[in-house]
Amino acid sequence: MIRRLFIANRGEIALRVIRTARRMGITTVLGVSEADKASLPAEQADEIALVGPAPSSQSYLSIERVVAAASAAGCDAVHPGYGFLSENAAFARAVGAAGMRFVGPDIATLEGMGDKLAARRLALAAGLPVLPGGEAETPEAVQARAAETGYPLLLKAVAGGGGKGMRRVDRPEDLDAALAMARAEAQASFGNAAVYVERFVALGRHVEVQLLGDGTAALHLGTRDCSIQRRFQKLVEEAPAPALPDAARGAIEQAAVRLARHIGYRGAGTAEFLVDATDFAFYFLELNARIQVEHPVTEAITGVDLVEQQLLVAMGKPLTLTQTMIRPRGHAIEMRINAEDPDADFRPAPGTVTRAAWPAGPGIRIDTHIAQGGQIPPFYDSLMGKLIVHGATRADAVTLLARALGSLAIEGVATTASLHRRIAADPRFIAGGVDTGFLGGLRP
Amino acid sequence: MAEDLPLTAEDVAEIVAILERSPYRDLDLATRRFRLRVTRGEGQDAGFTQEWQWAGAGAVSDTAAAGVVAADDPLAIGAPLPGTFYHAPQPGAPPFVAVGDEVGPDSVVGIVETMKLMNPVHAGRSGIVAQVLVPDGTMVARGDPLIRLAGPAA
């Protein structure tokens, strides 16, 4: 059993975990930095524990401080949320060494999947297709890899996720500068500057599969499409992936389950694939060994509470769900409302929210930690809330989405809401099945 | 801290469903811990909104909002956004610019790290670096002078 759960995260995902934990009768202790002491999650948790000063390197990313705070609070489990230490094997090991359960996969899985190159090898061993590329330590080695993959190419953080430390490079002469930036971002975000090189697919779609495993059994909860991205960060996600032939969808889902079984996956995870938009050939990208930002669209169509499943598996319980029990219903779309100015190259816009009128009503879910007077500190990422709509068909969901966006009103900081209104009105989006180049072709 | 349960998303959806069938435009609910307003938008096809206000929220000093300094130094390059200012692309690397360097509008003179993203700081105009005003790794507010340029380059 888990009785006292330490939440090693902040923002909307901290609130999301609190909600399910409370429903399950679990007491929550939220680790907070100095900057988050008066946040909404801090207000909603049963207890709070200070983990350090505002900068995340000294608070949310400090293994020592987070584990010490969880131990001192007498917790028996730690939920890491997403980002921060969620996929850090050393953190999971420290949590275990302190006598607490880690709500996430086994340490061996984190080691295998946290290193994207090791993940490639595991995927190949499980029989999944991958893109050409590989690791490169020095600028010279990167140049050599680039000669193999050709241009354009992608530089990615070995320890990465969430688009941090990722750069597209179109010409050889831009490589050195992009490499320095990618390495600096990788260092700042993950404490590991290593990057690798991968071929860039021009007309690609980003399709992922939600997985659940208990170490023995594994099943999938269908696909999500996350092709609408900027700076390789997802902005819009939907479930199921639209405009995908049944054969391709089935093959992708089966490949994901094959990988989960191959590694004896425990907990909730997501296998990400790059799908060629022209012929639906697919390549394994990575397995995110944690809850995803976009998990609500899967929850909307399957009715499964993924955080609850994570907690049950962490308690050592076998999955009670089977593949035939997963019957996706309708279509769900999520839009990420970030404190960023879409008219100024998505410049982060920290500050105080003076008004937060979020959409409400049947078929609408809002996951946010920002209410009136809410603070968006400059220390953390810019996600301030997620708008999720669920309709009987994709067309219903798109209609509901446009209506909800029409009523959404955030004042005090710039947000991506204006961009989302343009996306929701774009004929290509309304038709469905766009590729990752969608945003570049959006009318101003 | 959290004895009285806040309303769930399902509760809010139910409130909207009730309002939708009623002649009322909004519902304003206040408890010791929160205030919730559910409002019908203007126009025929308008949706509903939910606005929450929490008793505990908003009490923190708003360092982020208060920090914007008017760039009163016309020869200085100001921080384009709040964050941590770095002189070099990574620890140990040589700085982007040093005193005496000639820069053009597109020259990168530093990086401001905000929300874990590295944002290059461009000089914005031509000139010669006269003084680096802020030490490496300093938290800066938007508009804070970072680097002073001496006149336009010849």
Side-chain angles (χ1 to χ4, degrees):
Chain A
M1 280 306 291
I2 294 174
R3 288 189 176 79
R4 282 174 68 80
L5 178 66
F6 191 85
I7 300 169
N9 215 296
R10 62 179 305 283
E12 65 88 21
I13 194 64
L15 270 183
R16 170 71 190 85
V17 175
I18 290 169
R19 198 187 314 142
T20 289
R22 174 170 300 148
R23 194 167 54 69
M24 295 170 74
I26 299 169
T27 302
T28 54
V29 181
L30 179 69
V32 294
S33 75
E34 293 279 1
D36 285 332
K37 280 195 294 191
S39 67
L40 192 49
E43 142 85 16
Q44 300 262 308
D46 293 308
E47 297 169 29
I48 60 172
L50 193 65
V51 292
S56 39
S57 59
Q58 298 165 55
S59 50
Y60 299 109
L61 283 172
S62 166
I63 293 175
E64 204 176 308
R65 287 180 178 173
V66 170
V67 173
S71 268
C75 290
D76 47 16
V78 176
H79 195 301
Y82 50 67
F84 293 131
L85 296 170
S86 60
E87 293 175 276
N88 187 310
F91 177 61
R93 195 175 289 114
V95 166
M100 297 177 285
R101 294 172 192 267
F102 177 73
V103 182
D106 295 337
I107 289 160
T109 303
L110 289 172
E111 280 170 342
M113 289 300 155
D115 177 335
K116 294 200 177 183
L117 289 164
R120 277 173 66 99
R121 285 192 291 272
L122 280 171
L124 280 169
L128 276 65
V130 301
L131 283 166
E135 191 171 18
E137 268 291 306
T138 60
E140 294 72 34
V142 170
Q143 295 281 8
R145 282 285 184 202
E148 295 166 25
T149 61
Y151 289 87
L153 57 79
L154 283 181
L155 295 174
K156 291 181 167 184
V158 168
K164 304 283 164 62
M166 199 186 285
R167 288 270 189 252
R168 174 181 163 170
V169 187
D170 291 327
R171 303 174 304 175
E173 55 268 39
D174 297 337
L175 190 56
D176 285 354
L179 180 63
M181 284 284 195
R183 286 180 61 89
E185 265 179 32
Q187 182 67 43
S189 293
F190 313 108
N192 177 357
V195 297
Y196 70 103
V197 182
E198 203 168 75
R199 180 192 288 169
F200 179 77
V201 173
L203 285 178
R205 284 175 59 183
H206 180 116
V207 175
E208 58 187 32
V209 179
Q210 177 67 53
L211 294 164
L212 274 179
D214 60 11
T216 313
L219 56 90
H220 73 82
L221 287 89
T223 52
R224 290 187 290 255
D225 190 308
C226 314
S227 298
I228 301 182
Q229 308 186 355
R230 63 96 181 74
R231 282 183 185 163
F232 307 106
Q233 289 208 48
K234 298 162 188 171
L235 274 174
V236 182
E237 300 102 340
E238 47 188 299
L244 199 60
D246 284 345
R249 184 191 314 281
I252 293 168
E253 288 167 347
Q254 286 318 310
V257 171
R258 202 155 63 233
L259 178 63
R261 295 213 172 109
H262 180 75
I263 61 177
Y265 194 79
R266 257 171 55 84
T270 297
E272 297 193 339
F273 295 89
L274 182 64
V275 176
D276 193 315
T278 51
D279 61 4
F280 304 107
F282 62 92
Y283 307 94
F284 171 78
L285 290 178
E286 57 183 296
L287 190 137
N288 293 315
R290 54 169 160 83
I291 193 81
Q292 298 271 103
V293 176
E294 59 272 25
H295 75 277
V297 288
T298 298
E299 293 187 328
I301 62 163
T302 60
V304 174
D305 180 334
L306 288 167
V307 173
E308 180 179 28
Q309 293 299 318
Q310 282 191 299
L311 291 167
L312 291 172
V313 171
M315 291 180 200
K317 301 196 171 161
L319 287 179
T320 52
L321 292 169
T322 61
Q323 193 64 62
T324 50
M325 289 162 75
I326 308 298
R327 297 264 174 83
R329 194 179 55 81
H331 196 94
I333 305 175
E334 171 182 283
M335 285 188 155
R336 299 191 189 188
I337 311 298
N338 295 339
E340 291 170 3
D341 188 349
D343 298 323
D345 196 27
F346 296 102
R347 177 172 289 177
T352 304
V353 174
T354 51
R355 178 167 182 238
W358 294 99
I364 294 173
R365 168 175 166 183
I366 302 289
D367 278 20
T368 182
H369 61 296
I370 295 298
Q372 185 182 324
Q375 300 286 320
I376 299 159
F379 309 101
Y380 317 112
D381 75 40
S382 56
L383 181 64
M384 58 184 292
K386 307 183 299 203
L387 161 65
I388 304 110
V389 297
H390 182 210
T393 64
R394 186 172 185 278
D396 288 350
V398 170
T399 304
L400 184 56
L401 183 65
R403 188 173 173 216
L405 285 167
S407 55
L408 181 136
I410 307 288
E411 292 165 18
V413 298
T415 78
T416 48
S418 57
L419 173 72
H420 284 311
R421 290 190 187 103
R422 277 156 47 205
I423 293 172
D426 187 288
R428 296 169 302 160
F429 173 73
I430 293 169
V434 300
D435 62 64
T436 53
F438 170 83
L439 222 47
L442 192 64
R443 265 173 297 184
Chain B
M1 222 176 262
E3 282 80 27
D4 51 335
L5 280 170
L7 299 171
T8 64
E10 291 74 34
D11 297 331
V12 175
E14 214 166 298
I15 291 171
V16 170
I18 292 167
L19 279 176
E20 216 156 24
R21 295 191 300 266
S22 81
Y24 298 103
R25 249 195 103 245
D26 54 10
L27 174 136
D28 199 328
L29 182 72
T31 73
R32 193 173 47 79
R33 288 182 64 214
F34 68 86
R35 179 176 174 194
L36 168 65
R37 287 189 61 198
V38 179
T39 313
R40 192 196 299 262
E42 304 288 342
Q44 201 170 11
D45 197 35
F48 281 80
T49 57
Q50 49 180 320
E51 289 182 73
W52 295 80
Q53 211 175 335
W54 294 86
V60 252
S61 67
D62 50 347
T63 44
V68 181
V69 174
D72 50 5
D73 188 342
L75 290 176
I77 301 162
L81 68 176
T84 309
F85 180 62
Y86 292 108
H87 293 180
Q90 48 195 302
F96 289 101
V97 291
V99 171
D101 282 0
E102 199 178 315
V103 296
D106 294 331
S107 303
V108 174
V109 298
I111 287 176
V112 171
E113 181 192 350
T114 298
M115 295 168 167
K116 295 187 280 179
L117 282 174
M118 301 296 167
N119 303 277
V121 179
H122 297 278
R125 60 184 177 279
S126 301
I128 290 163
V129 175
Q131 198 186 349
V132 180
L133 300 164
V134 172
D136 190 46
T138 308
M139 262 307 287
V140 293
R142 186 189 160 143
D144 276 3
L146 303 174
I147 285 173
R148 183 172 295 127
L149 297 183

